[in-house]
Every structure is written in structure tokens, then in C-alpha cells.
Amino acid sequence: MARKLWLFLCPVLLVSAQSPRPVENHDESKVGAYTLPDPLLLANGRTVRDASTWKSQRRPEILHLFESEVYGRSAPKPGKLEFEVTSREAKALGGDATRKEVDIWLTPKQKMHLLIYLPNDRKRPYPVFLGLNFRGNQAVANDAGVAISTGWMRNAPGVENNRATEASRGSEASRFQVKTVLRRGYAVATVYYGDIFPDRKDALAESIIPHFYRPGQTAPDPDQWNAIGAWAWGLSRVMDYFEKDRDIDSKHVAVWGHSRLGKTALWAGAEDQRFAMVISNNSGEGGAALARRNYGETVERINAVFPHWFCANFKKYNNDVAALPVDQHELVALIAPRPVYIASAEEDLEADPRGEFLSAVGAGPVYSLFHAAGLGTDRMPALHQPIMNTIGYHIRAGKHDVTEYDWEQFLTFADKHWKAR
Ligand code: GCU
């Protein structure tokens, strides 16, 4: 009997193993029903009714769940910070900026290179937009004076044999809009994300993570950090440095990021409350987009294609996203009551713009505890109709990218919240 059953099942299993993976859903009518976890429901079954219970009880519960089940627990802050200012140029970018380069030692053996542009209007200390870059510091502006990143990099225009060349200068400039940001009175700071964890699935050994292993440990535990955790940790080390740099107003640091680095910015802002503002651009799955909403990229796909991004525990949810004890609206809620801005793009379907919007909506009740205004609506705004409360949101026309339009909104959002600075 047992053998007969096996013979019967066998062809079925073979067929399903060989059939192509289902295409991700891009049809709103097929999203299906889902129930989000309630950010205000304590593990003991009680409901949070005030900010102090949120801060002392519920926030730590949710933070812990994101650590153990999604991004992994990071190493603690290093005991001492070593840094060296390696260059300073008062007439950078045609005289518009002062440029500084700073080496920050993450471990006794590994450093990251921080590039800072300050406006030249003598109004220091400056509020700053801090964001990681994809192509090396030399890519964020057309500036011959910036040291070219020497680390491994994905091949792209100006990157040959996985190394950046002179031709890569300015290749990410449109995403950073350095001159516009400076003109509006903000400093710009950036680090190449590969200085912290080169973005390849086999690069763990080259990342900072092994430097923090226990004696005898050979891989992160299932609840320990991976690339996104490491990148976010690196952003906190920049914050450590900002606290010592008198050119920077470390109480007004906006951490921002695009796409995988938007996921990273949200996690950095959740973990490290020194970041006074968080901006996530097109961050999608594992970022602002709700995991339970079946639209665009899925937990299963992101874990399959980028197994080095999230902690090993996150893979438990590949086929059972409803079992996740958190969803991404609670990541946004961890930023409360600090201003957070979520930006979507109309054609960026894999990132699920509506799912990004709905997590901003879902964080609202936590902001209300602080009498801070959430989005104030659960109806998605039309294109180019930004909402700028303590939670902000826009969707613009176009593709997965960071554009001038996005920057105009980020700057207006920062102006609005920091005008009394
Ligand atoms: C891939 C990935 C996304 C990610 C994006 C990016 O498309 O699937 O989750 O946001 O890369 O970082 O550009």
C-alpha cells in the first residue's frame, strides 16, 4: 500500500519541482485578504494606550522581533571610535562646498571611508543627509578630488572587473543631487556600502561580521545580523563620528536610502534613535512594503535572490508570511515620534507602492500616542501630491530611482520639521 502511494505521488512531485516559479503578483484584484499584527497589542494581551508604555514595553518587544526574525541582532557599539580626517578642501565643487574625507575604523583591521560636503555659508553646525551609496564615494558628484573606492563593486558603467575607475566619477550624481542639497543649507554625507559588507552572497568573510564572532564561531547565528544589519550598523558608526565633528549638527541627521539601502535606512532609524529623521525611497520588500500584502516581490524571492541580506530566521517565513510576528508598518512605527518619509514610484511595481503607503498608514496609531500626525488618510494620494505630516509620503511618476523630484520633497520635509532648529 505504501509503495503504491509513493508511485502515485512521484510524478506529481516531479512536475511541481520542475514547473517554473510563479510570477510575482502585479494584479491588485489578486492580493487577497491578510491581517496585520497590531502594533499596540502587547505580548501580554493588553493594549498600549500611552507613549510611555509604548517606549518602555511595546517598542522593545517589536524591536526584538525585528532583530531575531528579520534583520538579525547587530554587534554592540564599539568601545572606542578611531577616525582620521584624510583630506579637507575648502573650495570643492567650484567653490560651493567644503569637502572632507574621513576614515572611520570599524574594527582594528577594517575601515570605511566617509565623504562629507558642507555648504560654504559659514552657518555651521549643519544638519545633514546621510546615505550609503552603491558605486563608491567618487560616484556621488563629479569631483576629481574624491578618493576612488577600491573595494569590490558590481560591474556597471565606470566599474570594470569589479573595480571603480575614473569613469565612474559622478555616475550616481543624479541620485544624490549634492549641489541642490547644499544650496538648501544641508550637508551631504556618504559611505560606499561595500566598505561594510560587499553586496554578494559569498562575501560574508570580507564583511565586518566575522570580526565580531565569539571564539570558535564560524557563521552568524540564525538571529544574528547579515548585510542589511551590517550596513545599518555602519550608519550608526557614522553617527558616532558625527557626535565628535563640530561641523555637523548631530541632533539633525536625516538617514536616507534608496531601494536595498532604503530598507537599510529604515532599520538604522529603528535601531538607533539618534537619527532624527528617516527617509526611505522605493524600499519595497523588507523595507516599507507590507510583507503580508501579496503584491510584487515576496519574502521567498528576496531570500532566494539575496540570501545574504536578512538573518537566517527570516527564511522560516518564505512560505508562511502570515506567521511573521511583525510586519513592516511596525518597522515604521519604531521610528515614532521622529519624522519619517516614505517615497514610492508609480512604475516600481516590484516594490509595491500601495504596500509602502499602507505601512505608513499602519504606523499612524503609534504616532498618535505622541500626538504626532500620521498620514491622516488611508486613501493613497494621487501622483505628485505629497503628504507631509510627521509621517510623510509621496508617489511620483516613473521608475525605480531617486530623482530631483524626490529630493525636492525630502528637503521640503526636512525644512518643515527642522525650521526651528
Ligand atoms: C532588487 C531587490 C529589491 C531591492 C532592489 C535594489 O530588485 O529585489 O528588493 O530593493 O534590488 O536594491 O535596487
Side-chain angles (χ1 to χ4, degrees):
M1 174 66 195
R3 172 171 295 177
K4 271 194 199 138
L5 190 63
W6 166 243
L7 289 174
F8 170 73
L9 283 175
C10 206
V12 178
L13 291 174
L14 280 177
V15 169
S16 70
Q18 284 166 2
S19 54
R21 296 168 72 85
V23 176
E24 253 111 57
N25 177 41
H26 287 172
D27 178 348
E28 197 55 47
S29 73
K30 298 203 175 117
V31 165
Y34 58 91
T35 308
L36 292 179
D38 180 349
L40 298 182
L41 189 62
L42 283 151
N44 66 14
R46 294 226 175 90
T47 296
V48 176
R49 298 195 195 282
D50 54 70
S52 92
T53 312
W54 165 261
K55 284 195 275 192
S56 64
Q57 295 184 47
R58 185 59 178 147
R59 186 178 194 283
E61 282 179 6
I62 295 178
L63 184 64
H64 173 70
L65 290 170
F66 275 105
E67 278 174 350
S68 67
E69 306 303 304
V70 183
Y71 304 101
R73 219 171 356 102
S74 304
K77 178 176 171 171
K80 76 172 184 216
L81 174 73
E82 304 240 7
F83 63 85
E84 184 191 348
V85 178
T86 57
S87 79
R88 188 180 176 103
E89 166 57 61
K91 294 208 171 91
L93 301 177
D96 286 345
T98 294
R99 179 203 330 114
K100 295 207 291 192
E101 291 175 292
V102 185
D103 282 352
I104 299 176
W105 291 89
L106 298 173
T107 74
K109 292 197 180 133
Q110 227 160 325
K111 58 187 173 181
M112 62 181 178
H113 308 281
L114 171 67
L115 169 66
I116 303 175
Y117 287 109
L118 305 164
N120 267 345
D121 60 5
R122 305 208 182 137
K123 290 196 184 139
R124 83 166 199 182
Y126 294 99
V128 59
F129 281 88
L130 166 65
L132 297 172
N133 66 70
F134 285 95
R135 303 254 182 98
N137 291 347
Q138 79 290 340
V140 309
N142 219 320
D143 177 352
V146 178
I148 294 191
S149 183
T150 57
W152 179 92
M153 207 171 281
R154 196 169 303 286
N155 285 332
V159 183
E160 280 165 30
N161 303 319
N162 300 115
R163 291 290 180 272
T165 70
E166 278 292 332
S168 69
R169 287 195 188 280
S171 62
E172 251 192 301
S174 64
R175 287 184 169 175
F176 277 77
Q177 305 280 335
V178 171
K179 286 202 173 187
T180 307
V181 180
L182 293 170
R183 213 177 304 122
R184 298 276 292 257
Y186 296 89
V188 173
T190 189
V191 168
Y192 170 51
Y193 76 145
D195 285 0
I196 308 160
F197 193 130
D199 192 5
R200 303 192 318 268
K201 55 183 157 200
D202 60 354
L204 177 73
E206 296 155 46
S207 78
I208 52 152
I209 289 180
H211 295 270
F212 297 91
Y213 284 164
R214 301 178 295 271
Q217 189 177 5
T218 53
D221 294 340
D223 67 343
Q224 282 185 318
W225 56 343
N226 218 334
I228 292 180
W231 296 327
W233 183 90
L235 288 165
S236 286
R237 305 296 66 86
V238 177
M239 181 52 121
D240 297 342
Y241 165 76
F242 283 160
E243 292 182 329
K244 312 252 181 250
D245 182 337
R246 287 194 295 166
D247 288 328
I248 299 291
D249 173 358
S250 64
K251 298 268 184 277
H252 293 90
V253 179
V255 64
W256 76 277
H258 169 60
S259 207
R260 67 198 69 184
L261 298 179
K263 310 181 207 297
T264 303
L266 288 167
W267 180 229
E271 278 192 299
D272 189 336
Q273 298 190 68
R274 294 174 298 172
F275 291 115
M277 180 177 290
V278 181
I279 296 168
S280 129
N281 192 74
N282 303 180
S283 61
E285 189 73 22
L290 293 174
R292 278 169 176 74
R293 226 182 85 87
N294 177 25
Y295 192 103
E297 191 170 21
T298 60
V299 170
E300 184 188 14
R301 181 188 179 272
I302 207 167
N303 278 329
V305 182
F306 305 101
H308 59 297
W309 283 3
F310 299 88
C311 72
N313 273 344
F314 193 45
K315 298 175 176 75
K316 294 189 297 195
Y317 305 100
N318 281 351
N319 297 308
D320 191 9
V321 81
L324 254 174
V326 285
D327 210 314
Q328 300 304 108
H329 61 308
E330 294 173 298
L331 180 67
V332 179
L334 289 175
I335 296 162
R338 293 163 292 156
V340 59
Y341 196 91
I342 293 169
S344 302
E346 186 186 21
E347 293 172 32
D348 188 18
L349 299 183
E350 273 296 277
D352 185 12
R354 181 173 293 276
E356 294 176 322
F357 168 75
L358 289 173
S359 76
V361 172
V366 176
Y367 276 75
S368 296
L369 296 173
F370 295 88
H371 309 291
L375 290 182
T377 177
D378 55 9
R379 298 206 20 205
M380 207 164 157
L383 297 182
H384 311 127
Q385 299 293 322
I387 300 174
M388 295 205 187
N389 296 328
T390 309
I391 304 179
Y393 177 83
H394 76 240
I395 177 164
R396 62 156 169 81
K399 293 202 266 281
H400 186 71
D401 200 357
V402 196
T403 66
E404 216 175 320
Y405 176 84
D406 296 317
W407 271 109
E408 285 303 324
Q409 314 320 312
F410 304 159
L411 289 161
T412 302
F413 188 68
D415 287 354
K416 179 180 155 118
H417 287 287
W418 291 348
K419 62 175 180 285
R421 201 179 69 85

